Amino acid sequence: MKILFDVKHLYYLPQYIPVYQELLKRSIDCEFIFYHQDDEALQQICTEIEAKEKLPVKWISCWESAFEYYQNIKADWIIFGNAVGDIDKLHPFSKTALMQHGIGPKSCYYDVSQNLTTVRFVEGQHRLKRLKDLYPKGNFVDTGYAKLDPIFSKNNNFANQLSLENFGLDPNKKTILYAPTFYPSSLECFDKKFPKDFEDYNIILKPHFFSVTKKKYIRQNKLLHLWNQYDNVYLAPTSSYNLLPFMAISDVMISDASSAIFEFAALNKSVIWCDFYKLRWTYRGIFSYRFKQRLDSDIDFFHQLSEQVSSYQVLQSALDKVIKNPELKSEKRIELTEQLAGQTDGCCSFRIANYLLEHK
């Protein structure tokens, strides 16, 4: 039996690797399809991750080459982290599965199933019901969110792998994890003195991959490196493709329209939702409907499980509030996690591997 993982972007890997490790236990032949990067530094990072994670990798130049390879290799399963075109043309040769790389509030979470894969692994009953209603012919299986398996596993040792001291941070301070997405993002709405304004805290910056790799977001990248000059800041390097270890050692997370809010809430830790964004002019004024279209109604759940702030100016008071009262909204976080992330028993990848093997 052979299973392929399509790695269009590095940030698909945190979803894939728990499943890959489960398949390895069962001696299944797996292969990761990596795409050559035009940027030399980014290509080097990909190569280093291939070696560090000891992944069996096939390097491909572009999607057209990958598509041709998939048709020729005729694997039992091909797993994708996002929608791809012409998926039906692969089905005469292979079955396909979608493990959507995020569980955020953007409309694309549901839209990606317009191109139906053989199966889509889903996170929780709320999402399962909505997908079934939207796509009655689809095959959706509620397995939970495999990305979170390592942190809920009995063998979780993130605390031993990472330490604040190794990041040059003060272990006697509370730690903020700021994890904004690239668009729509709150990042450029933050003050240039953000670390100074919050000097009583450690700050770990873990931006979206695109914020540091795409030229169109160069202003975000410059701001991140400006903040990184402060002693109370650690900027995660681009090679740190997984948010999970930083979530494990942080007390509070600050984010915006990102899947990270649901992920951190699943750990039953306090989350602050920055409900303010730097929007392109094509998303403002008479074009504001585009912004609303980009977000799904699932963002309404953010109100219930996080502390919502409408501007940078009120962020400090919100942070002080959740630091003093970490139990606030705890019951709601537990309740909504089951609906929006699914089971958090560390066994999602086990269930996915079972499905793949039982339906080969």
Side-chain angles (χ1 to χ4, degrees):
M1 185 174 187
K2 190 173 186 68
I3 297 179
L4 308 180
F5 292 85
D6 182 271
V7 191
K8 179 65 176 175
H9 297 292
L10 276 179
Y11 53 82
Y12 295 179
L13 283 179
Q15 263 277 70
Y16 289 163
I17 286 182
V19 176
Y20 167 61
Q21 291 173 338
E22 189 61 40
L23 292 169
L24 274 188
K25 294 176 188 174
R26 307 178 195 200
S27 302
I28 303 301
D29 182 14
C30 297
E31 190 173 55
F32 288 76
I33 311 305
F34 273 38
Y35 293 72
H36 283 289
Q37 305 293 320
D38 293 334
D39 184 286
E40 193 172 316
L42 193 53
Q43 177 64 34
Q44 179 64 26
I45 288 171
C46 293
T47 304
E48 290 172 3
I49 290 173
E50 173 191 4
K52 179 184 175 186
E53 302 292 351
K54 299 178 181 176
L55 300 177
V57 169
K58 170 74 174 178
W59 285 94
I60 295 287
S61 60
C62 60
W63 165 245
E64 287 73 20
S65 298
F67 196 74
E68 183 179 351
Y69 180 70
Y70 293 149
Q71 290 177 308
N72 291 334
I73 203 75
K74 297 179 175 60
D76 296 276
W77 282 98
I78 308 171
I79 300 177
F80 294 97
N82 207 341
V84 297
D86 294 328
I87 193 87
D88 286 341
K89 293 182 180 177
L90 294 175
H91 288 152
F93 314 103
S94 303
K95 294 180 178 178
T96 60
L98 176 61
M99 294 177 64
Q100 178 67 6
H101 59 274
I103 54 174
K106 296 177 183 174
S107 301
C108 59
Y109 175 87
Y110 295 99
D111 295 343
V112 292
S113 281
Q114 290 176 6
N115 296 332
L116 289 172
T117 46
T118 308
V119 63
R120 176 174 176 177
F121 299 115
V122 180
E123 307 81 10
Q125 289 296 304
H126 168 80
R127 298 179 188 277
L128 180 66
K129 182 179 185 310
R130 283 197 62 187
L131 284 165
K132 282 185 172 179
D133 289 344
L134 285 167
Y135 309 103
K137 294 182 179 178
N139 179 22
F140 305 104
V141 179
D142 180 11
T143 55
Y145 195 35
K147 178 180 177 179
L148 296 179
D149 273 0
I151 209 161
F152 290 112
S153 165
K154 295 176 182 176
N155 300 320
N156 170 16
N157 63 348
F158 283 124
N160 297 327
Q161 293 175 9
L162 299 178
S163 73
L164 296 172
E165 292 96 326
N166 288 344
F167 293 156
L169 301 175
D170 184 348
N172 298 309
K173 290 182 177 179
K174 294 290 186 181
T175 300
I176 304 167
L177 172 61
Y178 180 40
T181 191
F182 63 102
Y183 193 81
S185 179
S186 61
L187 202 155
E188 291 178 75
C189 299
F190 274 44
D191 198 281
K192 290 182 179 178
K193 300 191 282 52
F194 168 44
K196 176 66 175 175
D197 292 343
F198 293 82
E199 60 185 358
D200 292 336
Y201 299 96
N202 297 313
I203 301 174
I204 296 176
L205 302 173
K206 179 65 179 76
H208 190 280
F209 191 65
F210 286 169
S211 295
V212 292
T213 59
K214 297 281 187 183
K215 288 183 179 178
K216 66 190 298 184
Y217 300 113
I218 192 169
R219 291 180 179 174
Q220 296 184 9
N221 200 14
K222 284 184 176 178
L223 199 50
L224 290 164
H225 282 85
L226 175 67
W227 292 338
N228 195 36
Q229 295 175 24
Y230 288 82
D231 290 339
N232 61 327
V233 170
Y234 174 78
L235 173 60
T238 309
S239 57
S240 295
Y241 62 87
N242 194 353
L243 179 63
L244 219 54
F246 302 108
M247 290 167 57
I249 61 171
S250 299
D251 299 288
V252 175
M253 190 180 74
I254 300 172
S255 189
D256 40 42
S258 169
S259 166
I261 285 188
F262 288 136
E263 295 170 14
F264 200 76
L267 309 186
N268 201 10
K269 293 183 181 181
S270 300
V271 184
I272 294 177
W273 169 31
C274 294
D275 190 20
F276 51 92
Y277 312 94
K278 175 77 171 181
L279 297 177
R280 302 171 193 141
W281 70 267
T282 51
Y283 280 70
R284 300 195 296 259
I286 61 172
F287 301 114
S288 60
Y289 68 92
R290 290 175 176 165
F291 175 62
K292 293 174 183 173
Q293 287 176 345
R294 190 177 176 92
L295 298 179
D296 183 77
S297 60
D298 280 355
I299 200 168
D300 292 339
F301 290 110
F302 279 13
H303 293 280
Q304 301 178 46
L305 55 75
S306 66
E307 194 69 23
Q308 181 184 8
V309 295
S310 57
S311 71
Y312 176 80
Q313 286 69 31
V314 295
L315 182 58
Q316 179 76 65
S317 59
L319 180 62
D320 292 343
K321 178 181 175 182
V322 299
I323 286 289
K324 290 177 182 174
N325 306 283
E327 75 286 355
L328 281 176
K329 300 191 177 184
S330 172
E331 290 184 7
K332 207 64 182 177
R333 289 195 291 267
I334 294 171
E335 175 191 333
L336 291 179
T337 291
E338 188 174 348
Q339 293 182 41
L340 300 165
Q343 298 179 71
T344 53
D345 55 2
C347 297
C348 304
S349 49
F350 179 84
R351 287 186 283 274
I352 291 172
N354 278 353
Y355 186 96
L356 296 173
L357 269 60
E358 290 169 2
H359 297 81
K360 62 183 179 180

